[in-house]
Every structure is written in structure tokens, then in C-alpha cells.
């Protein structure tokens, strides 16, 4: 029941919004639907948490032996919670943003939410692919129609990367389907036995698709341009939620299904994660555009998750799951601040800003807390996930380079603190200038959205036990499957 409700609410709302001409009405309906989705998700975590409500398994395409099989295990619950938590905040915090044909904008945004929720709950590979595309296609239109001046060229690049990734994923899924005797079921995939050559081919096809979406060096080049040119609500979806699709794909569809290559080639993938971390951190330090700075910061954080996945340990894998949620919350907070500054002052250039703390004290206080979480300070949510990943990498028996990977991760944390705190200093402190002299504090909706994020940051940072309990079973299942095979 819960999986069906979670998908139908944004799906029906998204389609209905195309028939509602007034932008204000469309926004209100989208906000109501996103809050309703959040209420259903919270009910699933409290009163509907028995298995009967969290599983939906019915025939879909009989000729292909594909089923509508959705399940909400701990990892799915965490990512669906992130999705349903983020969408109301995205809509509410950008309430004053205006778009031509705003009803269509909101409709496509809601369809993307339906796709994301389907991806995180699917236990049938064809269903997973269907919702993967449902999440992506609306964003193509949102970027190409409502993006910045370079939107056509950037969206074309985004399309090429994601189209090739999706094509490779489909080929890999079809090969797994044939290997499984005509089944798309995840439960059949994890029982498969491969030759090394078979596993290497199928693993590579799926890995590239997931690496594009995270994104991971050297398949990341679409990301900063797309984040910069996309409308900020779309950038929020891409960064806070959609980047987790790739990490989720590694944990759901690669490690448990094809663990041999994960072990034998693991150091190569972990090294790519290290390169992503360091490369993105150094590039972020040189950025003058707030959007590009946050975009490269996101690449660096995802790189650490990749290292923890391919230097696997129970604590490290659980840390990745928790950090997917925490990173989504924190990066959403950063984007809300960027959007508020751009909407109020008409610029995202760090060099054109300064002294905002004098004009916008509430925004400054809230941003500082979000920024501290972004650099994983103790008592914030990111500290929990990153500590578990570092500890897991250091204790992993699957790699000889745990110390080197952890040292690189530590350097990334230091670099993150440097570019984040320098951004705060240059944007919010010092003297005001011609641009910021007339600035004022952000509106109540932005303050409320950021305050909710700050509460989530501190709540998880001080009392992470509920998230640890939610993800412990699925972590043990993944590790058991890895070592049994």
C-alpha cells in the first residue's frame, strides 16, 4: 500500500498540474501533494511499518516476466524519506521564483519525484530502469526550457551523458535477464553465478551508468555546467536527491549481485573516488560562482562514498547509507541559500558580494550551521556518516590502501573547510558594497525552510540512533551476500 501511495500522489498531481493554468494554484497544489507524500512516508516509519504495508508485488508485463515489485527496506526508507522531505522544502523555499508556464514547471517537477521514489523502491530491474528514466526525462525538459542562457548546449551535454549511461544500463539489465533465465527479479539476480568475463562485462555496463549519475571522475563534466544553468529548484533535485541514484545503484544492483569484480577491481574504483574528492576540492577553491562551488563540493563528498563502497566494511557501508541522507539535507540547505542570494541581489558571483551578515543576520546564522554540517563538524549530521566511512575504510580487509584512502579523505575534509569558510567570509563578512548595501534579510519562507534543515542537521548529529537502526539490517544483508559469494 505505501509504495503505491508514494508513487501515485506525485504522479497524479504532476499530470493534473498541466491542466491548471494559474501558477500560484499549481504551486499550492504541488506543495500540498509533496506534504501528503511526506505524511505517508512518516506513517510508514511509525504506524505502517509492518511488512504487509511496505511491499507491493503484482504482475506487470507478463510476456517479459516483469512485476510491479516494490519494497521499502531500510535503505529505501531512508532515501524515500530524503525525497519526500526535500520536495516540500524545495517548493516552499523557492515560492517567489516565477516561471513562464509555471504550472508545467511544477508538473514536471512532481513527475520527477514519482520517478525518484520508484527508483528507490524497485526490486524488479526493468521497473528500476523505467522509473530511472521517469525521473530523468522531466529534468531534461526543465533544464532546456527554463534554464540559463547556455541551457541548450548544456542540456544537450547532459542528455548525451545520461542517454549513453541509460543505454549501457539497459544492455546490462538485458544480459542479466537472460542469465537469470528470463527474470528481472533482484532476488533472482543475487543467486546468479558468473564467469569472470561475464561478470566483468555486466559490471562495467552498470557501473558506467551509475558513475555518470553520481557523478564520478572522469564522467563528471556534465554536472557543474548543468547545475549552473538549470533553474535552482531543478539543481536542488539533481544534487540533493538524484545524485544518490548512482550510489544507491552501486549498493542495490552491483555489490550484492556481482561482488567478485567489486573486490578484484575495488581499488581501481576507490582510486577514482579519491581523484574525484581531491580534484573537485581543488577546483571548488577557485570558483567565483556560488553554484559551481557547491557543485564541485558535491562531487567531492560523493567521491568519499565511492571509496567507502569499494573498500567495504559493515560500518563503512552503513556510513554511506546515512551519508546519502545527510548529504542530501546539507546540500539542499546550501542551494536554498544560493537561490535566496540570487533572487534578492541578482548575482551569484562571490567577488560581487560582501558584508551580507550586516544586512541578513538570520540568513547568516542559518547558513553557518549548514556550512558546519557540510564540513562534518561534530554534533552535526555529516560527522556521523563521514566518521563511519573513515573508520570503515581504515578497518576494511578488502584493500591494502585503507590508510592512504583515509588520508586522502582527511585532506578533502580540510580543503572543504577552506573553501566553505572562505566563501562565508567573502560573501557574509567584510564591508558591504554597491550590490549588497541595499540588501535585507530573507523572507519568512526561506528562514522556515532553512530552520527545518538546521533542526534535521542537529537532530541526526546529536541522536543518530534511529538512522542507525533503520539501516543496520540492510547493511548486514549486503555484507552477507558479498562474503557468501
Amino acid at each position: 500500500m505505501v509504495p503505491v501511495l508514494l508513487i501515485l500522489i506525485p504522479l497524479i498531481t504532476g499530470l493534473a498540474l498541466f491542466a491548471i493554468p494559474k501558477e500560484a494554484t499549481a504551486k499550492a497544489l504541488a506543495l500540498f501533494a509533496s506534504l501528503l507524500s511526506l505524511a505517508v512516508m512518516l506513517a510508514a516509519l511509525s504506524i505502517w511499518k509492518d511488512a504487509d504495508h511496505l511491499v507491493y508485488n503484482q504482475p506487470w508485463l507478463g510476456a517479459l516476466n516483469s512485476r510491479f515489485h516494490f519494497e521499502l527496506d531500510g535503505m529505501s526508507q531512508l532515501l524515500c524519506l530524503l525525497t519526500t522531505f526535500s520536495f516540500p522544502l524545495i517548493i516552499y523555499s523557492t515560492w517567489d521564483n516565477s516561471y513562464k508556464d509555471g504550472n508545467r514547471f511544477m508538473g514536471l517537477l512532481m513527475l520527477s519525484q514519482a520517478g525518484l521514489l520508484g527508483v528507490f523502491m524497485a526490486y524488479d530491474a526493468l521497473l528500476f530502469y523505467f522509473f530511472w528514466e521517469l525521473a530523468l526525462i522531466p529534468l531534461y525538459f526543465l533544464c532546456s526550457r527554463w534554464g540559463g542562457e547556455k541551457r541548450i548546449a548544456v542540456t544537450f551535454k547532459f542528455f548525451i551523458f545520461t542517454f549513453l549511461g541509460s543505454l549501457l544500463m539497459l544492455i546490462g539489465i538485458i544480459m542479466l535477464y537472460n542469465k537469470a533465465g528470463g527474470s528481472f527479479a533482484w532476488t533472482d539476480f543475487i543467486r546468479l553465478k558468473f564467469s569472470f568475463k561475464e561478470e566483468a562485462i555486466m559490471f562495467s555496463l552498470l557501473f558506467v551508468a551509475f558513475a555518470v549519475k553520481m557523478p564520478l571522475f572522469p564522467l563528471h563534466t556534465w554536472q557543474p555546467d548543468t547545475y549552473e544553468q538549470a533553474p535552482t529548484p531543478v539543481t536542488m533535485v539533481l544534487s540533493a536527491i538524484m545524485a544518490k541514484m548512482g550510489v544507491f545503484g552501486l549498493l542495490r544492483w552491483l555489490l550484492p549481485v556481482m561482488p567478485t569484480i567489486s573486490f578484484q577491481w575495488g581499488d581501481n574504483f576507490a582510486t577514482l573516488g579519491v581523484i574525484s574528492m581531491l580534484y573537485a576540492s581543488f577546483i571548488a577553491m577557485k570558483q567565483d560562482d556560488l553554484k559551481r562551488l557547491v557543485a564541485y563540493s558535491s562531487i567531492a563528498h560523493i567521491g568519499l562514498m565511492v571509496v567507502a563502497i569499494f573498500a567495504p566494511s559493515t560500518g563503512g557501508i552503513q556510513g554511506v547509507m546515512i551519508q546519502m541522507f545527510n548529504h542530501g539535507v546539507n546540500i539542499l540547505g546550501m542551494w536554498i541559500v544560493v537561490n535566496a542570494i540570487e533572487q534578492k541581489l541578482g548575482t551569484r558571483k562571490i567577488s560581487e558580494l560582501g558584508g551580507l551578515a550586516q544586512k541578513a543576520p538570520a540568513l547568516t546564522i542559518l547558513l553557518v550551521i549548514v556550512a558546519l554540517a557540510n564540513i562534518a563538524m561534530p554534533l552535526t549530521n555529516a560527522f556521523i556518516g563521514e566518521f563511519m566511512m573513515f573508520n570503515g575504510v581504515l578497518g576494511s580487509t578488502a584493500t591494502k590502501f585503507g590508510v592512504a584512502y583515509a588520508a586522502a579523505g582527511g585532506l578533502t575534509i580540510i580543503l572543504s573547510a577552506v573553501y566553505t569558510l572562505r566563501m562565508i567570509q567573502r560573501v557574509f563578512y567584510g564591508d558591504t558594497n554597491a550590490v549588497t548595501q541595499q540588501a535585507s534579510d530573507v523572507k519568512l519562507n526561506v528562514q522556515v525552510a532553512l530552520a527545518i534543515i538546521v533542526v534535521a542537521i542537529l537532530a541526526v548529529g546529536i541522536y543518530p540512533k534511529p538512522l542507525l537502526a533503520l539501516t543496520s539490517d540492510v547493511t548486514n544483508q549486503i555484507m552477507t551476500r558479498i562474503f557468501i559469494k
Side-chain angles (χ1 to χ4, degrees):
M1 178 183 72
V2 172
V4 175
L5 285 175
L6 284 174
I7 292 172
L8 285 182
I9 291 170
L11 183 65
I12 294 173
T13 304
L15 295 173
L17 288 176
F18 286 91
I20 297 176
K22 290 187 177 180
E23 182 178 350
T25 307
K27 280 184 181 176
L29 184 56
L31 179 60
F32 173 77
S34 63
L35 288 170
L36 187 58
S37 295
L38 176 59
V40 170
M41 191 61 231
L42 293 175
L45 293 170
S46 53
I47 58 175
W48 291 339
K49 58 185 177 182
D50 60 88
D52 289 343
H53 290 122
L54 303 182
V55 177
Y56 184 81
N57 190 351
Q58 295 292 328
W60 180 30
L61 300 175
L64 295 175
N65 194 24
S66 180
R67 300 178 67 84
F68 267 118
H69 184 183
F70 299 107
E71 286 190 28
L72 275 162
D73 63 8
M75 182 166 60
S76 297
Q77 289 182 43
L78 199 61
L79 290 169
C80 288
L81 178 62
L82 171 65
T83 306
T84 53
F85 174 82
S86 298
F87 268 83
L89 293 179
I90 292 171
I91 296 168
Y92 186 54
S93 67
T94 60
W95 192 264
D96 294 329
N97 293 25
S98 184
Y99 313 97
K100 185 179 180 181
D101 298 325
N103 62 322
R104 296 181 183 179
F105 184 95
M106 300 309 299
L108 290 169
L109 208 60
M110 296 306 293
L111 292 179
S112 178
Q113 182 185 2
L116 286 162
L117 291 167
V119 165
F120 295 140
M121 294 187 291
Y123 265 72
D124 178 286
L126 189 61
L127 197 63
F128 173 77
Y129 180 79
F130 173 82
F131 279 97
W132 182 281
E133 294 302 313
L134 179 60
L136 286 172
I137 290 172
L139 296 187
Y140 297 142
F141 292 107
L142 286 166
C143 293
S144 61
R145 176 74 188 278
W146 288 276
E149 293 179 356
K150 301 176 183 176
R151 63 186 183 278
I152 301 301
V154 168
T155 305
F156 181 71
K157 186 177 182 180
F158 175 51
F159 173 79
I160 292 297
F161 270 81
T162 52
F163 173 76
L164 290 176
S166 297
L167 182 61
L168 295 176
M169 182 199 294
L170 181 59
I171 294 171
I173 288 173
I174 292 172
M175 293 177 72
L176 285 166
Y177 169 77
N178 289 321
K179 182 73 178 177
S183 171
F184 288 106
W186 178 83
T187 50
D188 290 330
F189 282 8
I190 63 172
R191 298 191 188 100
L192 292 175
K193 302 294 182 185
F194 304 94
S195 69
F196 183 82
K197 182 179 179 181
E198 286 176 332
E199 185 168 339
I201 293 172
M202 296 180 204
F203 186 99
S204 300
L205 292 168
L206 292 177
F207 177 80
V208 170
F210 298 145
V212 166
K213 191 48 55 202
M214 285 185 275
L216 182 69
F217 179 92
L219 301 171
H220 69 286
T221 59
W222 64 270
Q223 190 244 41
D225 294 336
T226 305
Y227 283 17
E228 179 187 17
Q229 291 296 313
T232 304
V234 177
T235 308
M236 293 175 180
V237 175
L238 284 166
S239 181
I241 312 168
M242 196 160 283
K244 312 307 178 294
M245 284 168 49
V247 182
F248 171 82
L250 295 179
L251 293 173
R252 174 75 82 219
W253 295 98
L254 275 189
L255 258 67
V257 177
M258 292 175 276
T260 302
I261 298 298
S262 302
F263 275 116
Q264 296 200 10
W265 293 357
D267 283 338
N268 297 320
F269 301 131
T271 301
L272 287 179
V274 168
I275 294 172
S276 285
M277 288 190 297
L278 297 177
Y279 164 82
S281 296
F282 282 114
I283 298 294
M285 295 178 69
K286 296 181 176 297
Q287 298 306 308
D288 189 43
D289 187 302
L290 285 170
K291 269 192 165 184
R292 295 185 76 86
L293 186 150
V294 179
Y296 280 108
S297 167
S298 181
I299 293 175
H301 283 93
I302 295 291
L304 180 57
M305 296 183 204
V306 173
V307 174
I309 289 172
F310 287 106
S313 66
T314 300
I317 294 294
Q318 191 173 20
V320 172
M321 292 183 199
I322 292 173
Q323 190 60 7
M324 279 196 283
F325 179 82
N326 292 336
H327 176 263
V329 171
N330 299 344
I331 208 74
L332 177 58
M334 297 292 284
W335 286 122
I336 290 174
V337 172
V338 171
N339 181 70
I341 291 174
E342 184 177 17
Q343 290 297 312
K344 186 168 284 291
L345 302 176
T347 181
R348 303 189 304 262
K349 299 290 186 184
I350 295 173
S351 57
E352 296 176 0
L353 300 169
L356 275 180
Q358 303 171 37
K359 302 293 182 179
L363 177 65
T364 306
I365 293 169
L366 293 166
L367 168 67
V368 168
I369 297 173
V370 174
L372 291 177
N374 197 46
I375 59 178
M377 286 290 288
L379 298 182
T380 65
N381 57 353
F383 176 78
I384 305 300
E386 296 207 351
F387 176 83
M388 293 180 70
M389 288 192 290
F390 274 110
N391 191 47
V393 169
L394 280 171
S396 174
T397 58
T399 179
K400 299 175 183 177
F401 306 108
V403 174
Y405 293 151
L411 176 59
T412 304
I413 297 296
I414 295 171
L415 294 174
S416 170
V418 170
Y419 63 70
T420 302
L421 296 178
R422 189 166 68 176
M423 179 272 290
I424 292 174
Q425 182 183 21
R426 293 176 63 186
V427 173
F428 288 88
Y429 294 98
D431 297 328
T432 56
N433 55 35
V435 175
T436 57
Q437 183 59 42
Q438 303 303 319
S440 59
D441 219 333
V442 290
K443 290 187 175 180
L444 182 62
N445 62 315
V446 177
Q447 294 186 32
V448 169
L450 285 173
I452 292 171
I453 286 174
V454 165
V455 169
I457 286 171
L458 297 178
V460 174
I462 294 170
Y463 189 65
K465 185 177 179 180
L467 295 192
L468 295 173
L470 194 64
T471 52
S472 61
D473 286 347
V474 69
T475 300
N476 291 331
Q477 289 169 7
I478 291 173
M479 294 302 293
T480 300
R481 289 190 179 103
I482 290 174
F483 286 106
I484 284 178
K485 283 201 170 186

